[in-house]
Structure formats: structure tokens, C-alpha cells
């Protein structure tokens, strides 16, 4: 509710295009060039969900962050609106809110995180497997949850998690649960009526 304090404007850090001092602009351009193969690959892999992949200046310990575009809804705002339901009395507002919900997000990567630097090596060596692509999608989905955004397909997410667990414990993805089905009793005379 407070727009600023002591002459400084407050900024929502959950939205993109966060501006810092220009002192590190050269460093940023160097990182952008270094990580361009990775950001391009991430965009190609996650194109259905993200507008772009960029180097983050706000991350310290996390490999990824998902932020809303400057005019989009943050994860928290989207959850609040979804909990309230769409306003059917005003069709124009309903259309605006739905288009804001569907906006693609910005994926920010932490260039100092070991997962990101290792991914860069894999991309530069052209050593990306289908399993790696699946893990990146899982990483994106867990980041979306952490950032407060709803998942488009919870079933796919659960399947990816189960696949990762199966691999970790050495169970084939093709192995099914052993189910013993007990035949139901015959209907009684009363149930047949």
C-alpha cells in the first residue's frame, strides 16, 4: 500500500526488468555472452512457458527463478485472483485477467550456481539427452511452484517426479505395481431387483 519511502520508489522484485546500478553493466554483458548457448537452449526447451531466459542479478542460492513480466501477474497475485474466481459481471475485466494469467514468464538463471555452470558445459559440448531435457522441465516446474505460479499439468509433474525417484532407487520405469484383484461376490437376490 506504500508506494515508497524516503524518496525511494518500492519495486516488486517478483517482476522482470529489475534495474540496478550501471556499474556492473559490462559484467552483465560478459555473462550474457558466456551463457547465451544455455539461455538459448532453455528458451527452446521451455518455449511453451517462458518469454525468455536471462541472467539474474537477484539470485544468490537458487539456480532458477521465474518472474512475471513487468505488466504481468506475480505468483502471489495470480493465486489471490484464482482464489477469488473470475468476475463474471465484467466480461472486459475477465478477458484482461485471463490474458495476464496466460502471459509467458521470464526465467532467470543464476550464473554462479553449480547446476547452471554444469548445464552450460553440457550445452556447449552438445551432450543434452532426453533425460536432461526432462529434468530441466522438472526443475522449471518446481521453480514455478516455489515462485507461487500454478502448474499447467500436475499429472506430468507427478510423472516426472516418480520417474526421478524410480531412477534413484533403481526401479525400471516400465515396472508396474503388482495388484491382486479379488473377485467381487455374486449379487444377492435382493441386489438383483
Amino acid at each position: 500500500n506504500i508506494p515508497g519511502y524516503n524518496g525511494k520508489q518500492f519495486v516488486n522484485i517478483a517482476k522482470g526488468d529489475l534495474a540496478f546500478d550501471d556499474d556492473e553493466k559490462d559484467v552483465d554483458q560478459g555473462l550474457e555472452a558466456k551463457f547465451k548457448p544455455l539461455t538459448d537452449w532453455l528458451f527452446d526447451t521451455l518455449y511453451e512457458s517462458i518469454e525468455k531466459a536471462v541472467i539474474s542479478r537477484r539470485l544468490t542460492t537458487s539456480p532458477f527463478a521465474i518472474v512475471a513480466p513487468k505488466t504481468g501477474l506475480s505468483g502471489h497475485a495470480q493465486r489471490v485472483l484464482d482464489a477469488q474466481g473470475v468476475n463474471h459481471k465484467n466480461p472486459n475485466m475477465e478477458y484482461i485477467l485471463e490474458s495476464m494469467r496466460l502471459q509467458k514468464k521470464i526465467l532467470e538463471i543464476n550464473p554462479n550456481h553449480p547446476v547452471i555452470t554444469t548445464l552450460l558445459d553440457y550445452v556447449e559440448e552438445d551432450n543434452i539427452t532426453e533425460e536432461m531435457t526432462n529434468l530441466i522441465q522438472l526443475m522449471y516446474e518446481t521453480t514455478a511452484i516455489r515462485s507461487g505460479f500454478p502448474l499447467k499439468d500436475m499429472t506430468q509433474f507427478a510423472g516426472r517426479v516418480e520417474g526421478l525417484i524410480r531412477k534413484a532407487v533403481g526401479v525400471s520405469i516400465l515396472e508396474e505395481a503388482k495388484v491382486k484383484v479379488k473377485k467381487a461376490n455374486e449379487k444377492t437376490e435382493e441386489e438383483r431387483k
Side-chain angles (χ1 to χ4, degrees):
N1 291 334
I2 303 171
Y5 176 76
N6 205 17
K8 305 283 185 190
Q9 288 292 104
F10 288 140
V11 176
N12 185 347
I13 62 168
K15 293 197 175 187
D17 301 330
L18 192 60
F20 290 94
D21 293 338
D22 289 338
D23 295 343
E24 297 183 21
K25 203 166 202 154
D26 292 338
V27 175
D28 289 348
Q29 289 174 346
L31 285 173
E32 286 175 14
K34 178 181 177 181
F35 284 89
K36 185 165 178 25
L38 178 59
T39 55
D40 288 348
W41 178 76
L42 287 168
F43 174 74
D44 291 343
T45 304
L46 301 168
Y47 70 93
E48 290 181 357
S49 303
I50 65 171
E51 177 184 314
K52 60 185 173 180
V54 298
I55 301 296
S56 178
R57 295 182 70 192
R58 69 183 98 208
L59 290 175
T60 54
T61 58
S62 300
F64 281 175
I66 298 171
V67 296
K70 206 167 198 168
T71 59
L73 292 172
S74 68
H76 177 71
Q78 189 166 337
R79 280 194 327 268
V80 169
L81 286 173
D82 289 344
Q84 291 177 347
V86 180
N87 184 354
H88 295 290
K89 294 178 183 174
N90 187 343
N92 291 335
M93 184 57 80
E94 181 180 339
Y95 174 77
I96 291 168
L97 291 176
E98 189 60 25
S99 65
M100 289 176 77
R101 279 188 192 97
L102 296 175
Q103 272 185 325
K104 290 185 176 184
K105 310 302 181 232
I106 298 168
L107 177 68
E108 292 190 356
I109 63 170
N110 182 351
N112 301 312
H113 198 282
V115 169
I116 298 302
T117 56
T118 304
L119 276 174
L120 177 62
D121 293 341
Y122 274 101
V123 169
E124 288 178 333
E125 294 166 6
D126 198 23
N127 192 15
I128 297 295
T129 63
E130 184 178 332
E131 181 180 356
M132 182 76 67
T133 302
N134 197 29
L135 286 173
I136 287 303
Q137 290 173 331
L138 179 60
M139 198 166 154
Y140 174 82
E141 290 165 339
T142 56
T143 303
I145 292 169
R146 186 176 32 202
S147 299
F149 293 104
L151 295 182
K152 290 180 183 174
D153 190 341
M154 192 61 81
T155 304
Q156 268 190 348
F157 172 71
R160 285 191 186 97
V161 171
E162 182 184 341
L164 187 62
I165 292 169
R166 282 175 173 258
K167 183 172 179 163
V169 298
V171 175
S172 168
I173 196 72
L174 301 175
E175 190 174 336
E176 293 182 9
K178 293 172 179 67
V179 180
K180 293 181 182 178
V181 179
K182 183 180 172 187
K183 185 177 178 183
N185 294 332
E186 292 292 325
K187 289 183 178 180
T188 64
E189 193 65 39
E190 195 172 295
E191 289 174 329
R192 289 182 203 162
K193 293 180 185 179

